[in-house]
């Protein structure tokens, strides 16, 4: 192959790579726009359904669609208090009803029920043992909350149990994701249970970015 032919091939390959890059960038931009639209519409639906109950439940809805219940358990306990059971009886069926709407259900990759604790245990427990104990505590709390919701005798739950089995998961995160107030960790607010929605669009965006980098 002569020099001019080699240069022509190189130019063609460069042009193809540039075209691929621009197509990929446009695809990522479209995914990001879809993600923003999905997140915003779901956030609006959650607020419409639950805003009137948030103060009474000691809960909040974040901008990224986490429904957060602050300090629903007694300190060091995994037993769901009766007051929080009443909240879950109200919340869980209505929450599932929102998520399985046609405009949302196909966009959900996973729903995490996350247990969180404050840092430390007691003065006789090492930091390492405290972390392990809090992992176990937060995991069991998350499992108990998910189990309680799953077993509720409500048609919004019973008719969607197979979907719940596939998409709902329990995670204990101990004190790894504390809540900050004015730059300082809030012990009370950090002890919480979160219902977190992971959109499929996040997974698609991450995969596309990985392909570009590869």
């Amino acid at each position: 192959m002569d020099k001019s032919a080699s240069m022509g091939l190189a130019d063609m390959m460069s042009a193809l790579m540039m075209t691929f890059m621009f197509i990929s960038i446009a695809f990522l931009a479209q995914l990001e726009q879809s993600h923003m639209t999905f997140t915003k519409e779901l956030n609006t639906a959650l607020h419409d359904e639950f805003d009137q109950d948030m103060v009474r439940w000691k809960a909040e809805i974040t901008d990224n669609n986490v429904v957060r219940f602050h300090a629903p358990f007694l300190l060091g306990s995994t037993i769901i208090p009766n007051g929080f059971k009443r909240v879950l009886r109200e919340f869980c069926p209505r929450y599932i009803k929102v998520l399985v709407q046609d405009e949302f259900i196909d966009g959900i990759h996973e729903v995490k029920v996350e247990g969180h604790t404050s840092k430390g245990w007691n003065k006789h427990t090492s930091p390492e043992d405290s972390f392990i104990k809090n992992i176990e505590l937060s995991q069991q709390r998350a499992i108990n909350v998910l189990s309680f919701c799953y077993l509720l005798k409500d048609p919004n739950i019973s008719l969607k149990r197979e979907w719940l089995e596939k998409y709902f998961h329990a995670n204990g995160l101990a004190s790894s994701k504390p809540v900050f107030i004015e730059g300082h960790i809030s012990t009370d607010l950090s002890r919480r249970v979160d219902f977190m929605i992971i959109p499929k669009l996040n997974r698609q965006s991450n995969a596309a970015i990985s392909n570009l980098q590869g």
Side-chain angles (χ1 to χ4, degrees):
M1 184 180 295
D2 60 32
K3 185 176 181 180
S4 61
S6 297
M7 291 179 63
L9 180 60
D11 290 343
M12 182 177 69
M13 292 300 295
S14 295
L16 286 173
M17 287 297 294
M18 290 294 292
T19 301
F20 173 74
M21 184 180 71
F22 285 127
I23 291 173
S24 299
I25 291 172
F27 174 69
L28 284 175
Q30 185 178 15
L31 276 180
E32 182 62 24
Q33 182 59 46
S34 297
H35 169 67
M36 292 173 62
T37 300
F38 177 86
T39 299
K40 184 176 180 179
E41 291 179 352
L42 180 54
N43 196 258
T44 298
L46 290 172
H47 278 287
D48 287 346
E49 180 67 36
F50 296 118
D51 270 357
Q52 63 183 356
D53 304 302
M54 289 291 98
V55 173
R56 179 168 58 89
W57 289 349
K58 297 180 181 178
E60 65 175 311
I61 300 169
T62 70
D63 291 340
N64 59 338
N65 296 326
V66 175
V67 182
R68 176 164 293 160
F69 296 92
H70 292 295
F73 285 87
L74 297 177
L75 192 64
S77 174
T78 63
I79 298 172
I80 303 176
N82 289 333
F84 191 39
K85 285 182 179 180
R86 287 192 292 270
V87 170
L88 291 173
R89 287 191 188 97
E90 289 186 63
F91 167 73
C92 292
R94 292 161 58 192
Y95 185 63
I96 302 306
K97 185 178 179 180
V98 170
L99 299 190
V100 300
Q101 291 179 28
D102 291 342
E103 59 265 44
F104 301 132
I105 189 169
D106 291 333
I108 295 173
H109 171 73
E110 182 183 14
V111 181
K112 295 181 179 181
V113 181
E114 292 187 342
H116 300 263
T117 67
S118 54
K119 194 174 181 65
W121 195 258
N122 59 45
K123 63 182 180 180
H124 304 296
T125 307
S126 69
E128 294 79 11
D129 287 342
S130 294
F131 175 75
I132 297 300
K133 287 179 180 294
N134 279 320
I135 280 287
E136 293 171 346
L137 179 67
S138 59
Q139 181 68 38
Q140 193 58 56
R141 286 174 173 177
I143 291 170
N144 288 353
V145 169
L146 189 153
S147 300
F148 185 85
C149 291
Y150 175 80
L151 294 172
L152 284 174
K153 299 194 181 302
D154 183 283
N156 288 308
I157 301 291
S158 58
L159 294 175
K160 292 295 180 182
R161 285 218 170 95
E162 288 188 11
W163 186 81
L164 289 170
E165 291 167 7
K166 183 175 181 179
Y167 291 100
F168 271 62
H169 303 103
N171 294 309
L173 298 178
S175 58
S176 61
K177 293 185 177 180
V179 173
F180 289 85
I181 301 295
E182 297 181 352
H184 300 283
I185 292 176
S186 170
T187 298
D188 288 339
L189 297 184
S190 294
R191 292 191 293 109
R192 66 193 192 274
V193 172
D194 290 348
F195 285 73
M196 175 182 291
I197 299 161
I198 309 298
K200 285 181 180 177
L201 293 164
N202 279 358
R203 306 281 295 188
Q204 294 170 348
S205 297
N206 290 338
I209 291 169
S210 297
N211 290 336
L212 278 176
Q213 292 174 340

